[in-house]
Amino acid sequence: MNKIFRKQQLTPYEADYAQWCAEQGALLREGRLSDLDRENLAEEIESLGRSDKREIDSRLGTLLQHLLKWQFQADGRKTGWLLTIREQRHRIKKLITESPSLKNYPHKQLASEFDFARLKAAEETGLSEEDFPADCPYLVADVLDQDFFPGVPWSSDQLVRE
């Protein structure tokens, strides 16, 4: 985009976010740093890191929820649970590979994400919250290990097909 923008012609951040992003990118490429909306641009860049953290939080919570269901409702194990567990692990690993500074983030969030995962697992299984451990029984290394599945051993032919 090689448009030349005059300061008064720039789209305000609040008016059209997509257009604002395109214009700010063009200004950066053109080296027109004095014309940048520095405050909003800085906020957007900072939010990118927060976005990755929120995604890890969400995926970690879903992963813990499914590990709990896997362990405590072994007779109802479903193919979908297995696929969800594997996908969440894969996506978290990918986020950490892209942003290695987040390597320790899952460890920091394990306890808080476990609390909510426990509530959701109880709701979905019909089991009582007390049927699940109060504190996370898993190590982060195990939670993220593609080969770790808690509870009684299993084979794919035992899974309920959905």
Side-chain angles (χ1 to χ4, degrees):
M1 180 182 243
N2 283 331
K3 285 185 179 180
I4 295 180
F5 300 103
R6 287 188 166 65
K7 194 161 183 102
Q8 66 271 19
Q9 292 177 329
L10 293 174
T11 302
Y13 176 83
E14 302 80 14
D16 185 335
Y17 179 73
Q19 182 64 31
W20 175 87
C21 287
E23 291 172 359
Q24 295 302 303
L27 290 170
L28 278 170
R29 283 185 189 85
E30 293 172 11
R32 295 184 50 204
L33 305 182
S34 64
D35 291 334
L36 290 171
D37 180 356
R38 289 190 305 267
E39 192 59 37
N40 284 319
L41 193 56
E43 181 63 33
E44 287 300 317
I45 291 170
E46 290 167 351
S47 77
L48 294 173
R50 289 190 302 269
S51 173
D52 283 350
K53 286 181 175 182
R54 283 191 298 272
E55 185 172 351
I56 289 174
D57 288 343
S58 176
R59 292 188 179 283
L60 182 61
T62 299
L63 175 54
L64 289 166
Q65 174 190 352
H66 281 77
L67 288 174
L68 285 169
K69 292 190 314 184
W70 186 271
Q71 181 174 359
F72 292 94
Q73 201 172 48
D75 58 342
R77 289 178 179 163
K78 299 178 181 174
T79 304
W81 296 357
L82 174 68
L83 297 175
T84 297
I85 289 168
R86 290 203 167 138
E87 178 181 2
Q88 301 315 307
R89 286 173 169 162
H90 171 76
R91 301 285 181 205
I92 291 170
K93 181 180 178 182
K94 188 174 179 183
L95 282 164
I96 291 170
T97 299
E98 292 171 355
S99 297
S101 64
L102 297 176
K103 180 181 177 186
N104 293 322
Y105 188 72
H107 177 73
K108 293 176 186 174
Q109 296 303 108
L110 188 67
S112 66
E113 290 305 321
F114 179 78
D115 290 342
F116 191 56
R118 180 177 178 250
L119 292 172
K120 289 176 72 174
E123 287 176 17
E124 284 194 14
T125 62
L127 298 172
S128 164
E129 282 181 56
E130 289 73 32
D131 291 328
F132 298 100
D135 297 315
C136 186
Y138 317 123
L139 300 173
V140 172
D142 290 334
V143 169
L144 300 178
D145 180 350
Q146 281 290 2
D147 296 322
F148 173 75
F149 290 88
V152 296
W154 63 281
S155 67
S156 59
D157 60 323
Q158 295 171 318
L159 296 177
V160 175
R161 305 282 176 211
E162 298 174 284

PDB file of all heavy atoms in Angstrom, residues 13-27:
ATOM      1  N   TYR A  13      -8.862   5.719  14.918  1.00  0.00           N
ATOM      2  CA  TYR A  13      -8.862   4.358  15.476  1.00  0.00           C
ATOM      3  C   TYR A  13     -10.286   3.889  15.771  1.00  0.00           C
ATOM      4  O   TYR A  13     -10.654   2.761  15.450  1.00  0.00           O
ATOM      5  CB  TYR A  13      -8.010   4.368  16.751  1.00  0.00           C
ATOM      6  CG  TYR A  13      -7.958   3.075  17.516  1.00  0.00           C
ATOM      7  CD1 TYR A  13      -7.081   2.076  17.151  1.00  0.00           C
ATOM      8  CD2 TYR A  13      -8.763   2.880  18.638  1.00  0.00           C
ATOM      9  CE1 TYR A  13      -7.000   0.891  17.865  1.00  0.00           C
ATOM     10  CE2 TYR A  13      -8.697   1.695  19.358  1.00  0.00           C
ATOM     11  CZ  TYR A  13      -7.813   0.710  18.969  1.00  0.00           C
ATOM     12  OH  TYR A  13      -7.742  -0.464  19.679  1.00  0.00           O
ATOM     13  N   GLU A  14     -11.093   4.738  16.370  1.00  0.00           N
ATOM     14  CA  GLU A  14     -12.443   4.377  16.791  1.00  0.00           C
ATOM     15  C   GLU A  14     -13.423   4.279  15.622  1.00  0.00           C
ATOM     16  O   GLU A  14     -14.474   3.662  15.739  1.00  0.00           O
ATOM     17  CB  GLU A  14     -12.994   5.402  17.796  1.00  0.00           C
ATOM     18  CG  GLU A  14     -12.168   5.575  19.047  1.00  0.00           C
ATOM     19  CD  GLU A  14     -10.950   6.483  18.857  1.00  0.00           C
ATOM     20  OE1 GLU A  14     -10.852   7.212  17.849  1.00  0.00           O
ATOM     21  OE2 GLU A  14     -10.070   6.444  19.731  1.00  0.00           O
ATOM     22  N   ALA A  15     -13.106   4.885  14.491  1.00  0.00           N
ATOM     23  CA  ALA A  15     -14.049   4.955  13.373  1.00  0.00           C
ATOM     24  C   ALA A  15     -14.067   3.682  12.530  1.00  0.00           C
ATOM     25  O   ALA A  15     -15.127   3.198  12.143  1.00  0.00           O
ATOM     26  CB  ALA A  15     -13.722   6.148  12.485  1.00  0.00           C
ATOM     27  N   ASP A  16     -12.877   3.134  12.219  1.00  0.00           N
ATOM     28  CA  ASP A  16     -12.790   1.956  11.348  1.00  0.00           C
ATOM     29  C   ASP A  16     -11.474   1.249  11.644  1.00  0.00           C
ATOM     30  O   ASP A  16     -10.421   1.604  11.116  1.00  0.00           O
ATOM     31  CB  ASP A  16     -12.863   2.382   9.888  1.00  0.00           C
ATOM     32  CG  ASP A  16     -12.903   1.201   8.919  1.00  0.00           C
ATOM     33  OD1 ASP A  16     -12.425   0.097   9.268  1.00  0.00           O
ATOM     34  OD2 ASP A  16     -13.404   1.397   7.799  1.00  0.00           O
ATOM     35  N   TYR A  17     -11.548   0.265  12.508  1.00  0.00           N
ATOM     36  CA  TYR A  17     -10.344  -0.407  12.989  1.00  0.00           C
ATOM     37  C   TYR A  17      -9.531  -1.020  11.853  1.00  0.00           C
ATOM     38  O   TYR A  17      -8.309  -0.861  11.793  1.00  0.00           O
ATOM     39  CB  TYR A  17     -10.715  -1.469  14.032  1.00  0.00           C
ATOM     40  CG  TYR A  17      -9.535  -2.229  14.566  1.00  0.00           C
ATOM     41  CD1 TYR A  17      -8.643  -1.625  15.454  1.00  0.00           C
ATOM     42  CD2 TYR A  17      -9.291  -3.544  14.180  1.00  0.00           C
ATOM     43  CE1 TYR A  17      -7.551  -2.309  15.949  1.00  0.00           C
ATOM     44  CE2 TYR A  17      -8.200  -4.232  14.661  1.00  0.00           C
ATOM     45  CZ  TYR A  17      -7.328  -3.610  15.545  1.00  0.00           C
ATOM     46  OH  TYR A  17      -6.247  -4.299  16.022  1.00  0.00           O
ATOM     47  N   ALA A  18     -10.178  -1.721  10.938  1.00  0.00           N
ATOM     48  CA  ALA A  18      -9.461  -2.370   9.831  1.00  0.00           C
ATOM     49  C   ALA A  18      -8.738  -1.340   8.966  1.00  0.00           C
ATOM     50  O   ALA A  18      -7.574  -1.528   8.587  1.00  0.00           O
ATOM     51  CB  ALA A  18     -10.415  -3.211   8.991  1.00  0.00           C
ATOM     52  N   GLN A  19      -9.422  -0.259   8.644  1.00  0.00           N
ATOM     53  CA  GLN A  19      -8.798   0.792   7.841  1.00  0.00           C
ATOM     54  C   GLN A  19      -7.649   1.442   8.603  1.00  0.00           C
ATOM     55  O   GLN A  19      -6.591   1.735   8.044  1.00  0.00           O
ATOM     56  CB  GLN A  19      -9.838   1.844   7.426  1.00  0.00           C
ATOM     57  CG  GLN A  19      -9.290   2.939   6.547  1.00  0.00           C
ATOM     58  CD  GLN A  19      -8.804   2.426   5.191  1.00  0.00           C
ATOM     59  OE1 GLN A  19      -9.333   1.462   4.653  1.00  0.00           O
ATOM     60  NE2 GLN A  19      -7.778   3.056   4.653  1.00  0.00           N
ATOM     61  N   TRP A  20      -7.856   1.693   9.890  1.00  0.00           N
ATOM     62  CA  TRP A  20      -6.809   2.286  10.725  1.00  0.00           C
ATOM     63  C   TRP A  20      -5.558   1.408  10.702  1.00  0.00           C
ATOM     64  O   TRP A  20      -4.453   1.903  10.541  1.00  0.00           O
ATOM     65  CB  TRP A  20      -7.336   2.458  12.160  1.00  0.00           C
ATOM     66  CG  TRP A  20      -6.306   2.953  13.124  1.00  0.00           C
ATOM     67  CD1 TRP A  20      -5.981   4.259  13.383  1.00  0.00           C
ATOM     68  CD2 TRP A  20      -5.453   2.158  13.957  1.00  0.00           C
ATOM     69  NE1 TRP A  20      -4.979   4.319  14.325  1.00  0.00           N
ATOM     70  CE2 TRP A  20      -4.640   3.035  14.692  1.00  0.00           C
ATOM     71  CE3 TRP A  20      -5.304   0.785  14.160  1.00  0.00           C
ATOM     72  CZ2 TRP A  20      -3.692   2.595  15.613  1.00  0.00           C
ATOM     73  CZ3 TRP A  20      -4.360   0.341  15.066  1.00  0.00           C
ATOM     74  CH2 TRP A  20      -3.559   1.240  15.778  1.00  0.00           C
ATOM     75  N   CYS A  21      -5.742   0.080  10.840  1.00  0.00           N
ATOM     76  CA  CYS A  21      -4.604  -0.855  10.809  1.00  0.00           C
ATOM     77  C   CYS A  21      -3.859  -0.763   9.477  1.00  0.00           C
ATOM     78  O   CYS A  21      -2.621  -0.715   9.443  1.00  0.00           O
ATOM     79  CB  CYS A  21      -5.075  -2.294  11.037  1.00  0.00           C
ATOM     80  SG  CYS A  21      -5.556  -2.668  12.720  1.00  0.00           S
ATOM     81  N   ALA A  22      -4.610  -0.751   8.377  1.00  0.00           N
ATOM     82  CA  ALA A  22      -3.985  -0.666   7.048  1.00  0.00           C
ATOM     83  C   ALA A  22      -3.187   0.626   6.909  1.00  0.00           C
ATOM     84  O   ALA A  22      -2.056   0.622   6.395  1.00  0.00           O
ATOM     85  CB  ALA A  22      -5.051  -0.765   5.960  1.00  0.00           C
ATOM     86  N   GLU A  23      -3.759   1.714   7.367  1.00  0.00           N
ATOM     87  CA  GLU A  23      -3.068   2.997   7.262  1.00  0.00           C
ATOM     88  C   GLU A  23      -1.820   3.044   8.138  1.00  0.00           C
ATOM     89  O   GLU A  23      -0.767   3.536   7.703  1.00  0.00           O
ATOM     90  CB  GLU A  23      -4.022   4.134   7.650  1.00  0.00           C
ATOM     91  CG  GLU A  23      -5.130   4.350   6.637  1.00  0.00           C
ATOM     92  CD  GLU A  23      -6.186   5.333   7.099  1.00  0.00           C
ATOM     93  OE1 GLU A  23      -6.090   5.869   8.235  1.00  0.00           O
ATOM     94  OE2 GLU A  23      -7.126   5.572   6.329  1.00  0.00           O
ATOM     95  N   GLN A  24      -1.921   2.527   9.337  1.00  0.00           N
ATOM     96  CA  GLN A  24      -0.759   2.531  10.238  1.00  0.00           C
ATOM     97  C   GLN A  24       0.364   1.663   9.661  1.00  0.00           C
ATOM     98  O   GLN A  24       1.540   2.031   9.717  1.00  0.00           O
ATOM     99  CB  GLN A  24      -1.153   2.044  11.640  1.00  0.00           C
ATOM    100  CG  GLN A  24      -2.131   2.951  12.357  1.00  0.00           C
ATOM    101  CD  GLN A  24      -1.635   4.364  12.537  1.00  0.00           C
ATOM    102  OE1 GLN A  24      -0.581   4.594  13.120  1.00  0.00           O
ATOM    103  NE2 GLN A  24      -2.395   5.333  12.037  1.00  0.00           N
ATOM    104  N   GLY A  25       0.006   0.530   9.073  1.00  0.00           N
ATOM    105  CA  GLY A  25       1.005  -0.318   8.428  1.00  0.00           C
ATOM    106  C   GLY A  25       1.694   0.394   7.278  1.00  0.00           C
ATOM    107  O   GLY A  25       2.916   0.324   7.118  1.00  0.00           O
ATOM    108  N   ALA A  26       0.911   1.097   6.478  1.00  0.00           N
ATOM    109  CA  ALA A  26       1.478   1.851   5.356  1.00  0.00           C
ATOM    110  C   ALA A  26       2.405   2.954   5.850  1.00  0.00           C
ATOM    111  O   ALA A  26       3.493   3.168   5.286  1.00  0.00           O
ATOM    112  CB  ALA A  26       0.356   2.440   4.494  1.00  0.00           C
ATOM    113  N   LEU A  27       2.001   3.636   6.892  1.00  0.00           N
ATOM    114  CA  LEU A  27       2.844   4.695   7.453  1.00  0.00           C
ATOM    115  C   LEU A  27       4.174   4.125   7.964  1.00  0.00           C
ATOM    116  O   LEU A  27       5.236   4.730   7.754  1.00  0.00           O
ATOM    117  CB  LEU A  27       2.115   5.420   8.589  1.00  0.00           C
ATOM    118  CG  LEU A  27       0.939   6.307   8.181  1.00  0.00           C
ATOM    119  CD1 LEU A  27       0.166   6.774   9.413  1.00  0.00           C
ATOM    120  CD2 LEU A  27       1.397   7.491   7.339  1.00  0.00           C
TER     121      LEU A  27
END
